[in-house]
Amino acid sequence: MVKYKKHKSDFKLRLVKDYQRGASIHGLSNQWGVSSSQIRKWIDQYNSLGPQGLSRKPYRKYTKEFKVTVVQAYLKKELSLRDCCLHFSIPSIGIVSSWVRIYEHLGEDGLNSRQRGRKTMKGNNPKRPAKPLTRLEELEKENLYLRAENELLKKLDALAQKKVTPQKKKH
């Protein structure tokens, strides 16, 4: 079976109709290469919302209040994960289960909408010009640079000496 394949609504409707005519979910799964849980989901969506339940839905942004309502409906044992998805028109059980997990760990505040995608770079703001260094600060900066350069040259010289001296073999 191919994962993450997007199916057209006609195909979904055809499988649902085949199931209603008496075909088994397992048989349809094997015949068309679609997981049986996916076919069950399509059947539930069709039974609850009709043919519109099988069409692709655009990305939806959920409010904190909506998420809390869904999570509380699940936690109070009013609805199962699948029933929550059908009742509130949420496309995936994974969305609801992640909300439940967040709610249990962080409470209601964890369900606030977060920004999607990468964070913006902080370097986009123009930098303020640095104030000029005093003569003392300039000399300290130069002194620090020269010390680092001196240490580097000493290490380089030590490595060169180590390479030149032949290593004695132990017998």
Side-chain angles (χ1 to χ4, degrees):
M1 281 179 251
V2 178
K3 285 190 173 195
Y4 307 116
K5 184 176 179 185
K6 296 179 182 177
H7 301 284
K8 297 190 186 276
S9 358
D10 314 352
F11 176 73
K12 297 175 188 179
L13 184 61
R14 187 161 112 203
L15 263 63
V16 169
K17 293 291 184 184
D18 286 350
Y19 171 75
Q20 289 176 338
R21 286 190 210 105
S24 72
I25 291 176
H26 229 69
L28 291 170
S29 172
N30 290 336
Q31 180 182 356
W32 295 104
V34 178
S35 71
S36 53
S37 62
Q38 186 66 53
I39 295 173
R40 258 186 235 104
K41 178 182 168 186
W42 292 339
I43 292 167
D44 290 343
Q45 288 173 335
Y46 180 81
N47 290 337
S48 128
L49 302 170
Q52 294 84 14
L54 298 176
S55 62
R56 291 189 47 83
K57 293 153 192 76
Y59 173 75
R60 237 174 94 188
K61 190 170 187 172
Y62 301 101
T63 63
K64 174 185 171 183
E65 293 76 25
F66 178 78
K67 293 176 185 179
V68 169
T69 305
V70 173
V71 168
Q72 288 177 346
Y74 171 74
L75 291 177
K76 291 179 182 174
K77 304 297 181 201
E78 294 173 17
L79 300 170
S80 67
L81 286 175
R82 178 173 280 162
D83 292 338
C84 283
C85 289
L86 292 173
H87 181 72
F88 295 105
S89 297
I90 300 171
S92 171
I93 291 174
I95 294 171
V96 179
S97 64
S98 70
W99 292 347
V100 170
R101 201 174 330 107
I102 290 169
Y103 183 82
E104 288 173 342
H105 285 53
L106 303 173
E108 282 187 26
D109 292 333
L111 295 175
N112 286 332
S113 295
R114 287 176 280 199
Q115 182 180 358
R116 292 171 52 99
R118 288 185 174 196
K119 294 182 179 178
T120 57
M121 292 180 59
K122 293 181 180 163
N124 290 346
N125 299 339
K127 292 184 179 180
R128 285 183 266 136
K131 61 180 183 180
L133 299 176
T134 64
R135 179 73 179 138
L136 179 63
E137 290 172 334
E138 284 179 4
L139 291 173
E140 287 176 348
K141 188 176 176 182
E142 184 181 359
N143 194 12
L144 186 65
Y145 176 80
L146 291 172
R147 282 184 187 163
E149 186 180 28
N150 195 17
E151 289 295 316
L152 179 70
L153 291 172
K154 283 180 183 178
K155 286 185 180 183
L156 187 62
D157 189 41
L159 285 173
Q161 289 292 330
K162 192 175 182 181
K163 254 187 178 179
V164 170
T165 57
Q167 296 177 350
K168 296 181 180 179
K169 293 183 182 178
K170 293 184 180 179
H171 294 285

Short mmCIF file of all heavy atoms in Angstrom, two decimals, residues 20 32 74 92 96 117-118 135 167-168:
data_model
loop_
_atom_site.label_atom_id
_atom_site.label_comp_id
_atom_site.label_asym_id
_atom_site.label_seq_id
_atom_site.Cartn_x
_atom_site.Cartn_y
_atom_site.Cartn_z
N GLN A 20 -21.45 -0.56 0.51
CA GLN A 20 -22.89 -0.60 0.77
C GLN A 20 -23.58 -1.69 -0.05
O GLN A 20 -24.62 -2.20 0.37
CB GLN A 20 -23.52 0.76 0.46
CG GLN A 20 -23.13 1.82 1.47
CD GLN A 20 -23.67 3.20 1.11
OE1 GLN A 20 -23.98 3.49 -0.04
NE2 GLN A 20 -23.76 4.07 2.12
N TRP A 32 -7.86 -2.49 -3.86
CA TRP A 32 -7.48 -1.14 -4.27
C TRP A 32 -6.20 -0.63 -3.60
O TRP A 32 -5.74 0.47 -3.90
CB TRP A 32 -8.62 -0.16 -3.99
CG TRP A 32 -9.81 -0.46 -4.84
CD1 TRP A 32 -10.95 -1.08 -4.44
CD2 TRP A 32 -9.96 -0.19 -6.23
NE1 TRP A 32 -11.81 -1.22 -5.49
CE2 TRP A 32 -11.23 -0.67 -6.61
CE3 TRP A 32 -9.16 0.39 -7.19
CZ2 TRP A 32 -11.70 -0.57 -7.92
CZ3 TRP A 32 -9.63 0.50 -8.49
CH2 TRP A 32 -10.88 0.02 -8.84
N TYR A 74 -14.29 14.62 24.50
CA TYR A 74 -13.61 13.33 24.52
C TYR A 74 -13.33 12.87 25.94
O TYR A 74 -13.59 11.72 26.29
CB TYR A 74 -12.30 13.41 23.72
CG TYR A 74 -11.45 12.18 23.87
CD1 TYR A 74 -11.79 11.00 23.23
CD2 TYR A 74 -10.31 12.18 24.68
CE1 TYR A 74 -11.04 9.86 23.38
CE2 TYR A 74 -9.55 11.04 24.82
CZ TYR A 74 -9.91 9.89 24.18
OH TYR A 74 -9.16 8.77 24.34
N SER A 92 -8.80 14.39 10.88
CA SER A 92 -7.94 13.30 11.32
C SER A 92 -8.03 13.06 12.82
O SER A 92 -8.10 14.01 13.61
CB SER A 92 -6.49 13.62 10.95
OG SER A 92 -5.62 12.70 11.53
N VAL A 96 -7.04 15.36 16.99
CA VAL A 96 -7.73 15.35 18.28
C VAL A 96 -6.85 14.72 19.35
O VAL A 96 -6.74 15.24 20.47
CB VAL A 96 -9.08 14.60 18.18
CG1 VAL A 96 -9.78 14.55 19.53
CG2 VAL A 96 -9.98 15.25 17.15
N GLY A 117 5.34 26.79 10.81
CA GLY A 117 6.50 27.03 9.96
C GLY A 117 7.72 27.48 10.76
O GLY A 117 7.76 27.40 11.97
N ARG A 118 8.69 27.94 10.04
CA ARG A 118 9.94 28.37 10.66
C ARG A 118 9.77 29.69 11.37
O ARG A 118 8.96 30.52 10.97
CB ARG A 118 11.03 28.55 9.61
CG ARG A 118 11.53 27.27 9.06
CD ARG A 118 12.67 27.58 8.13
NE ARG A 118 13.27 26.34 7.68
CZ ARG A 118 14.44 26.28 7.13
NH1 ARG A 118 15.14 27.37 6.94
NH2 ARG A 118 14.94 25.13 6.75
N ARG A 135 40.14 55.12 23.07
CA ARG A 135 41.51 54.71 22.77
C ARG A 135 41.92 53.53 23.63
O ARG A 135 42.55 52.58 23.14
CB ARG A 135 42.46 55.91 23.01
CG ARG A 135 43.90 55.63 22.77
CD ARG A 135 44.19 55.53 21.29
NE ARG A 135 45.61 55.29 21.11
CZ ARG A 135 46.10 54.44 20.23
NH1 ARG A 135 45.31 53.78 19.43
NH2 ARG A 135 47.39 54.27 20.13
N GLN A 167 60.23 9.79 16.04
CA GLN A 167 59.67 9.06 17.16
C GLN A 167 60.52 7.86 17.47
O GLN A 167 60.89 7.10 16.57
CB GLN A 167 58.23 8.65 16.87
CG GLN A 167 57.31 9.84 16.69
CD GLN A 167 55.89 9.38 16.32
OE1 GLN A 167 55.67 8.24 16.03
NE2 GLN A 167 54.98 10.34 16.33
N LYS A 168 60.83 7.67 18.73
CA LYS A 168 61.66 6.53 19.14
C LYS A 168 60.76 5.30 19.28
O LYS A 168 59.65 5.36 19.79
CB LYS A 168 62.32 6.80 20.50
CG LYS A 168 63.30 7.96 20.43
CD LYS A 168 63.93 8.18 21.77
CE LYS A 168 64.92 9.32 21.72
NZ LYS A 168 65.54 9.57 23.00
#
